[in-house]
Every structure is written in C-alpha cells, then in structure tokens.
Amino acid sequence: MDYLTTKQAAEKWNISPRRVQVLCEQGRIKGAVRLGWAWAIPKDAEKPEDARRRRKLKEKLR
C-alpha cells in the first residue's frame, strides 16, 4: 500500500499540514498510522468531513 506524508495529504486536500496531524491524532483519517514522529496516510484515504458542517446540519433539522 502506498502512503502520503501529512504535507502531501495537506496539499491534496487543500488544508494545512497541522490540521492533517490533528485529524490523524483524533483518529478521523482511516488507516493512518504513526511511524515515530511522522504519520503515514494511505494514498486512497478520503478527507474527513468537517465536523462543523455536521453540527450545522443537525441544528437545521431541529
């Protein structure tokens, strides 16, 4: 399986590398594994949905 670095995933998803690290730490990127100080993200991993968006949708449904 091919992997991406946090920097490569950030460029692919148009977000900051730090945000990718946080998503990995929270377990929101499926298949991401920590290798020492770096994260290995599967090349076919999808960008997690923004949790703020989900919250707004819940509020609209109320």
Side-chain angles (χ1 to χ4, degrees), residues 1 7 18 20 27-29 32-35 37-38 58 61:
M1 179 179 276
K7 185 177 179 180
R18 179 63 185 140
V20 175
R28 295 189 50 208
I29 299 177
V33 292
R34 185 124 191 184
L35 302 174
W37 54 269
K58 276 186 176 179
L61 294 174

Side-chain angles (χ1 to χ4, degrees), residues 48-62:
E49 185 178 317
D50 191 338
R52 296 173 298 181
R53 180 180 171 110
R54 202 172 329 136
R55 191 175 321 134
K56 285 181 183 178
L57 289 174
K58 276 186 176 179
E59 290 173 3
K60 282 185 179 181
L61 294 174
R62 288 184 187 181

Side-chain angles (χ1 to χ4, degrees), residues 5-24:
T5 64
T6 53
K7 185 177 179 180
Q8 292 169 329
E11 290 171 0
K12 178 180 175 183
W13 296 335
N14 198 28
I15 57 177
S16 72
R18 179 63 185 140
R19 183 67 185 140
V20 175
Q21 291 172 346
V22 169
L23 292 170
C24 289

